[in-house]
């Protein structure tokens, strides 16, 4: 496609007019709107954006080049994105991609001659229960086969809804039972009951409930919610200078739990954030949503608009004088690193999503360097569950040290992949059986905790899924990923996909991660494709992994080697020169 000689800014004018007077924190939404006009961001457009927001052009270029979903070269307005990560690969993504490429006559990264379609293969799209999956513009598609490609490309293939199983369903009780676009439906099924109850209580009493509930962060960090809220409440600052941030940037392969709530019960996230705002004494709410969730974005946008109109957001909420709280929705643009809390703050502030050095911590120096509570979507859902049912009933679920329920993302070679809400304490084997069992004769391995997790073998399937057991067994609960591999899967290929993911997503700010993820990928790729393992590969992978773990700035680099090293340590034959098929012959 040839770049036009001149750029017509006429269509951009009304958009810029709406943003005049705003600051740099409006850069992400303005970039999204500007790109929607023509499909890409020419220099003239970026210059006009800089003049509108008073942001230097060099800084804007840095932001655009940081995100994979922003384009500074001619690109079609409609982008076809097909997932190439493990769950989709095992479910037949290669055949689907081949059918799409034959139909379009394009290879990944190419745009059609008429400039109407760009085709890309991308990391996990967060729909692993619908593998193989893809995006046609902002239209989702899942469970694709080569026979479905024509309907998918024509935009008539049905969009899938989240698959939700398990029980008791507490945090997901309304999912699939209400119209997610209807505030009236939400209210009919208990919506805003928790907020109304909270407003009859002192914030100190709510904090006591949260601390007594023993709810830990459900995104992987496992920090106690009550303590985080209390620290932020006690931090000096006016409510207008405090923030509640929902981290909805779940971008790790195998993770798709938060999408289920945001698509099926979006008002519940807003309610939980309002409860947090009242408890902490914060007036500002922010949702940072990954760019690959277009339907969640639409439903959350609708929910915010309707909640605001009904008086659940804004000033003097529910008649409580002085209780002011509102929410802004920010859409990311394809950067896994923005799931790291300080990188997320930088992204909202209109900067490249680079992690910050800690301390100071977000409770005192978070968004805009002001006191901030940042919680995962599921974590926030747990807080309203505790308010509604009480601490005693919450503790009747799960175990003494891991009370309540957890969302697990079960995917891979199982008959019924999906989001499973279950009490803590079920074993890995029980969860796999709940998902219909393994496809194939037997389980070869299970990846727990996501791409930054660890592999376990069949002998450890009876390990209970609790915080205490996972700590004792040396694996993370993380974001709840349970990815199952049967005996037909080449684990070296999965290791390569994980290494490729981290090498692609490293932000490059710190050398241990930027270089270590590349060296790790080079070794694993050679083992898989270019001659097999060499005698020193295992030690080299361990050295690289240790360097990244000990010296990387943030959690991405600190965990980028964990899954690969767990496979190498547990199954040494994967790295032996005579290992021809990458299948495990032992379970050490």
């Amino acid at each position: 496609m040839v770049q036009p000689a001149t750029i017509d800014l006429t269509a951009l004018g009304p958009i810029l007019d709406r943003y005049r007077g705003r600051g740099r924190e409006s850069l992400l939404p303005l970039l999204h709107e500007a790109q929607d006009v023509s499909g890409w961001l020419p220099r003239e457009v970026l210059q006009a954006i800089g003049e509108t927001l008073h942001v230097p052009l060099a800084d804007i270029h840095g932001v655009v080049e940081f995100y994979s979903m922003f384009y500074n070269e001619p690109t079609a307005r409609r982008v076809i994105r097909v997932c190439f990560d493990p769950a989709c690969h095992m479910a037949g993504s290669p055949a689907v991609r081949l059918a799409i490429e034959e139909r379009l006559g394009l290879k990944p990264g190419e745009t059609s001659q008429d400039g109407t379609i760009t085709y890309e293969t991308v990391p996990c799209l967060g729909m692993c229960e619908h593998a193989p999956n893809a995006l046609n513009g902002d239209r989702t598609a899942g469970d694709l086969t080569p026979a479905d490609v024509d309907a998918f490309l024509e935009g008539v293939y049905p969009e899938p809804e989240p698959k939700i199983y398990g029980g008791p369903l507490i945090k997901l009780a309304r999912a699939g039972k209400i119209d997610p676009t209807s505030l009236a439906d939400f209210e009919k099924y208990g919506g805003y009951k928790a907020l109304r109850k909270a407003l009859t209580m002192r914030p100190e009493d709510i904090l006591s409930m949260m601390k007594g509930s023993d709810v830990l962060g459900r995104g992987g960090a496992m920090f106690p919610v009550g303590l985080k809220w209390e620290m932020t409440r006690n931090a000096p600052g006016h409510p207008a200078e405090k923030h509640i941030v929902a981290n909805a940037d779940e971008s790790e392969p195998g993770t798709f739990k938060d999408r289920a709530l945001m698509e099926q019960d979006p008002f519940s996230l807003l309610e939980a954030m309002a409860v947090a705002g009242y408890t902490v004494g914060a007036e500002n709410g922010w949702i940072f949503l990954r760019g690959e969730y277009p339907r969640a974005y639409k439903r959350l946008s609708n929910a915010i608009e309707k909640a605001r109109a009904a008086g659940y957001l804004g000033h003097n909420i529910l008649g409580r004088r002085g209780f002011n709280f509102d929410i802004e929705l920010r859409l990311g643009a394809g950067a896994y690193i923005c799931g790291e809390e300080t990188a997320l703050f930088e992204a909202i502030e209109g900067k490249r999503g680079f992690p910050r050095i800690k301390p100071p911590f977000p409770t005192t120096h978070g968004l805009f360097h002001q006191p901030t509570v940042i919680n995962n979507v599921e974590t926030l859902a747990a807080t309203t569950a505790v308010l509604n049912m009480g601490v005693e009933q919450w503790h009747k679920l799960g175990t003494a040290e891991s009370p309540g329920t957890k969302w697990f993302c079960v995917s891979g070679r199982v008959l019924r992949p999906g989001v499973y809400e279950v009490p803590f304490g079920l074993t890995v084997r029980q969860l796999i059986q709940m998902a219909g069992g393994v496809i194939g004769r037997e389980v070869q391995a299970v990846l727990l905790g996501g791409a930054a997790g660890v592999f376990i073998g069949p002998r450890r399937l009876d390990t209970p899924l609790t915080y205490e057991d996972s700590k004792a067994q040396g694996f993370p609960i993380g974001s709840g990923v349970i990815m199952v591999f049967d005996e037909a899967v080449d684990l070296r290929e999965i290791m390569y996909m994980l290494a490729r993911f981290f090498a692609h997503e490293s932000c490059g700010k710190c050398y241990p991660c930027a270089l270590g993820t590349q060296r790790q990928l080079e070794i694993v790729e050679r083992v898989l494709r270019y001659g097999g393992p060499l005698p020193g590969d295992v030690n080299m992978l361990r050295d690289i992994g240790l360097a990244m773990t000990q010296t990387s700035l943030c959690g991405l680099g600190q965990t980028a080697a964990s899954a690969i090293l767990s496979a190498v340590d547990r199954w040494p034959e994967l790295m032996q020169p005579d290992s021809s098929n990458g299948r495990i012959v032992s379970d050490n």
Side-chain angles (χ1 to χ4, degrees), residues 104-165:
L104 296 178
L106 299 174
K107 294 296 182 184
E110 294 181 347
T111 298
S112 61
Q113 287 293 323
D114 62 3
T116 60
I117 298 178
T118 294
Y119 167 62
E120 296 179 348
T121 54
V122 297
C124 183
L125 290 171
M127 296 187 290
C128 307
E129 83 272 41
H130 290 291
N133 53 65
L135 285 173
N136 181 350
D138 62 358
R139 187 177 176 86
T140 61
D143 305 297
L144 288 165
T145 69
D148 302 321
V149 165
D150 284 347
F152 164 66
L153 293 176
E154 291 166 8
V156 297
Y157 190 77
E159 292 192 79
E161 295 290 348
K163 297 179 181 179
I164 299 170
Y165 306 107

Side-chain angles (χ1 to χ4, degrees), residues 244-264:
I244 306 296
V245 178
N247 186 344
D249 192 58
E250 57 173 7
S251 304
E252 188 165 351
T255 308
F256 50 92
K257 63 184 178 64
D258 294 343
R259 191 194 90 250
L261 181 87
M262 293 185 290
E263 290 189 354
Q264 292 286 297

Side-chain angles (χ1 to χ4, degrees), residues 332-415:
Y336 167 67
I337 188 62
C338 289
E340 196 278 335
E341 57 187 13
T342 63
L344 186 152
F345 298 152
E346 294 285 294
I348 291 178
E349 293 173 17
K351 307 169 189 173
R352 295 164 71 93
F354 282 153
R356 300 174 184 170
I357 295 174
K358 293 185 289 189
F361 296 101
T363 50
T364 57
H365 294 76
L367 185 61
F368 306 114
H369 298 278
Q370 296 171 339
T372 301
V373 163
I374 178 167
N375 286 137
N376 173 263
V377 170
E378 184 190 356
T379 309
L380 287 163
T383 64
T384 49
V386 169
L387 264 174
N388 281 326
M389 66 192 304
V391 172
E392 183 178 350
Q393 291 298 315
W394 178 257
H395 271 273
K396 288 182 179 180
L397 298 167
T399 68
E401 295 184 55
S402 301
T405 63
K406 176 77 182 79
W407 297 342
F408 289 98
C409 311
V410 184
S411 66
R413 300 290 289 168
V414 292
L415 287 171

Side-chain angles (χ1 to χ4, degrees), residues 166-283:
L169 297 182
I170 295 173
K171 295 172 289 187
L172 290 168
R174 283 180 291 264
K177 297 178 182 177
I178 65 171
D179 176 356
T181 68
S182 170
L183 175 58
D185 260 18
F186 178 68
E187 293 171 317
K188 179 180 177 182
Y189 283 86
Y192 283 111
K193 175 184 173 183
L195 179 59
R196 293 179 187 278
K197 180 178 180 179
L199 293 182
T200 68
M201 302 169 64
R202 298 185 310 149
E204 293 80 5
D205 295 331
I206 300 174
L207 288 174
S208 295
M209 283 189 72
M210 293 306 147
K211 289 193 285 186
S213 71
D214 295 321
V215 171
L216 303 183
R218 274 12 183 202
M222 300 186 298
F223 194 86
V225 169
L227 181 57
K228 181 181 287 189
W229 286 16
E230 183 179 58
M231 292 168 67
T232 309
R233 178 173 177 79
N234 291 339
H238 187 274
E241 299 169 340
K242 292 188 177 183
H243 307 267
I244 306 296
V245 178
N247 186 344
D249 192 58
E250 57 173 7
S251 304
E252 188 165 351
T255 308
F256 50 92
K257 63 184 178 64
D258 294 343
R259 191 194 90 250
L261 181 87
M262 293 185 290
E263 290 189 354
Q264 292 286 297
D265 192 14
F267 289 98
S268 66
L269 176 57
L270 312 189
E271 180 184 17
M273 293 178 68
V275 169
Y278 171 72
T279 306
V280 169
E283 293 188 354

